[in-house]
Amino acid sequence: MAGAGASITVRLAYGERGLDVRLPADRTALVQPRYRPGVADPAATLADALRHPVAGSPLREVVRRGQTVAISACDSTRPQPRHLMIPAVLAELADVVRPEDVTILVATGTHRSNTDAELRAMFGDAVVNRVRIVNHDARNDAELVWCGRHGNDVPVWLNRAWVDADVRLTTGFVEPHFFAGFSGGPKLVAPGLAGLQTVLTLHDAARIGDPRATWGITEGNPVHDDVRAIAAATGVDFAFDVILNRDQEIVGAYAGELFAMHRAACAAAKDNAMAPVDAAFDVVLTTNSGFPLDQNLYQAVKGMSAAAKVVKPGGVIVCAAECRDGFPDHGSYREVLTSAPSPEALLERIAARDHTVPDQWQVQVQAAVQAKARVVVHTSYLSADDLRAAHLDHTADVEKTVEEALDAAGEAARVCVLPEGPQTIPYLVD
């Protein structure tokens, strides 16, 4: 870069180790989550939330002796501290519910099942050895129960073990979500524990394409409106969410009645994770928040979507995502993504369909981002040919790619860096 001055080193969240890049200090704007240190005593914080809920009764007053309990939890693509949250719940219920009357349901949605090794890493050996854990399977009709039509005419099939339990408890974590507004809360029912047809309806082209289906919006968001309607109609007895800092440490815990709890958690997450910027940028450098969120390209669409909020039309997005799990190979994302010659053709094909196919929603969001800006990806596990098939450009050198993009955009061009990817959602101030 001709006449380049002082540089700064930025640590990008990438895999488990991070990635350091040097960028021109005078042309770089960093947008990061408002840092809050992790709580000093996570176990005490979690127990206090369960005993002093945002609304409703404490957990111990919700469950009676002899009842069966179903607990939903995030799958391995989410950094929920299950190894802390689930033991806290079980400890609170230790003298009320027998371990054999508890079922933990991994709310996979349409994702793959988690292996025994993954479950042990997620929950800890003590929980796996003591309590029944079931990977939800959206495609196994024998495990599903018809629950009627709810929300905007959504056909609702839910996991049988969840519906049949006397007490239903969601656990998760809350952060901005690229089309549902925020994660956590009612999403741990649907799509988390829903049948395939329910998930496909919630993710159809009209809902995903609605401008209100975006980061930080729940009310009036057609996806989240239906997610809430399903949870309200089918019943959640207690809910338990946390918010995390960039080190994936607990900074707040919320429990109690589902919707009051989730509103409180969303307000805290928004305050931490959404940041206003004055103008759009020619270049945006983003990540997908490191492991476990950046373990495949499918998930990395979230980091691209966050960057798209503040990139100029025709600009450049550089996304650093490790993708140790590839596209991945399971699911339909790769098949849908490579089924048309361009992002624009993908959008046309999706809009023309009279039905939703699995994973088309992720492709729809990605294609919309690519229709706005050129997207270049740095990954340790996908080749340039792999990315080219996904209509993406490849870079082995993030610094050089940012430098070239800035030079091409002119002397006044600046780069916005989202080191934590979708852990921070920038938005333009009107």
Side-chain angles (χ1 to χ4, degrees):
M1 188 178 299
S7 64
I8 58 171
T9 299
V10 178
R11 167 61 63 92
L12 302 178
Y14 183 83
E16 294 179 279
R17 297 186 177 183
L19 178 68
D20 289 332
V21 295
R22 293 181 63 197
L23 301 167
D26 60 344
R27 305 181 76 178
T28 300
L30 285 178
V31 178
Q32 302 182 79
R34 180 176 298 167
Y35 185 75
R36 291 176 57 189
V39 297
D41 189 339
T45 296
L46 296 172
D48 184 67
L50 296 171
R51 295 168 187 171
H52 301 94
V54 172
S57 301
L59 177 60
R60 285 176 60 85
E61 296 179 14
V62 173
V63 185
R64 299 191 306 274
R65 294 183 187 279
Q67 290 186 311
T68 58
V69 178
I71 304 171
S72 68
C74 302
D75 71 4
S76 64
T77 65
R78 306 292 193 266
Q80 179 195 2
R82 292 159 292 256
H83 65 295
L84 299 175
M85 295 178 72
I86 300 302
V89 170
L90 296 177
E92 201 67 11
L93 299 178
D95 59 350
V96 181
V97 178
R98 301 179 305 170
E100 56 264 37
D101 289 331
V102 176
T103 299
I104 297 170
L105 293 163
V106 183
T108 56
T110 58
H111 300 169
R112 67 170 174 82
S113 293
N114 297 131
T115 66
D116 180 72
E118 287 172 331
L119 293 176
R120 291 180 182 279
M122 291 158 61
F123 295 100
D125 288 337
V127 171
V128 173
N129 293 338
R130 181 179 172 215
V131 179
R132 177 181 179 231
I133 301 179
V134 176
N135 283 298
H136 171 66
D137 184 351
R139 296 169 174 83
N140 186 347
D141 292 343
E143 293 183 6
L144 303 173
V145 174
W146 171 247
C147 297
R149 291 182 174 271
H150 302 292
N152 186 16
D153 199 31
V154 181
V156 179
W157 297 84
L158 294 179
N159 184 283
R160 183 179 299 277
W162 173 259
V163 173
D164 288 349
D166 296 319
V167 178
R168 295 185 284 273
L169 165 63
T170 64
T171 72
F173 83 107
V174 175
E175 65 176 354
H177 188 277
F178 66 139
F179 58 74
F182 284 95
S183 65
K187 285 186 86 268
L188 271 297
V189 179
L193 298 177
L196 180 60
Q197 190 56 49
T198 305
V199 177
L200 295 181
T201 302
L202 287 172
H203 294 71
D204 67 16
R207 287 176 175 83
I208 298 301
D210 191 299
R212 296 166 297 178
T214 190
W215 304 99
I217 297 175
T218 53
E219 300 288 337
N221 177 329
V223 177
H224 207 278
D225 285 350
D226 282 342
V227 166
R228 291 196 312 278
I230 292 168
T234 59
V236 174
D237 297 290
F238 195 87
F240 186 27
D241 279 339
V242 297
I243 57 174
L244 308 173
N245 64 17
R246 62 173 174 259
D247 300 318
Q248 297 181 5
E249 299 169 330
I250 295 170
V251 299
Y254 305 81
E257 189 278 325
L258 173 63
F259 300 114
M261 179 284 302
H262 196 239
R263 283 194 297 270
C266 288
K270 182 174 183 178
D271 185 58
N272 289 345
M274 298 191 73
V277 299
D278 293 331
F281 293 81
D282 296 280
V283 185
V284 182
L285 171 58
T286 187
T287 73
N288 209 52
S289 304
F291 185 85
L293 290 176
D294 75 345
Q295 60 186 295
N296 55 55
L297 190 63
Y298 175 96
Q299 293 295 337
V301 174
K302 296 175 182 177
M304 301 174 200
S305 176
K309 299 296 289 186
V310 292
V311 73
K312 291 180 179 179
V316 177
I317 294 170
V318 182
C319 180
E322 188 183 55
C323 300
R324 65 177 67 178
D325 198 22
F327 274 81
D329 289 335
H330 57 270
S332 303
Y333 167 70
R334 183 173 189 167
E335 178 186 353
V336 177
L337 184 60
T338 58
S339 66
S342 69
E344 292 78 12
L346 283 168
L347 290 173
E348 291 175 3
R349 182 168 295 186
I350 290 169
R353 283 198 184 106
D354 59 3
H355 65 285
T356 305
V357 301
D359 297 332
Q360 79 169 37
W361 47 89
Q362 211 83 350
V363 173
Q364 184 177 357
V365 173
Q366 179 181 327
V369 171
Q370 291 178 265
K372 181 180 183 182
R374 175 184 169 222
V375 181
V376 185
V377 176
H378 173 77
T379 167
S380 300
Y381 289 86
L382 291 170
S383 69
D385 286 341
D386 288 331
L387 294 174
R388 191 174 301 111
H391 317 294
L392 297 161
D393 290 333
H394 167 267
T395 180
D397 189 333
V398 171
E399 292 177 12
K400 182 178 180 181
T401 298
V402 170
E403 175 183 331
E404 291 174 347
L406 286 173
D407 284 348
E411 293 183 1
R414 300 178 71 223
V415 57
C416 174
V417 185
L418 309 177
E420 304 299 322
Q423 297 294 328
T424 320
I425 308 303
Y427 60 94
L428 293 173
V429 178
D430 292 333

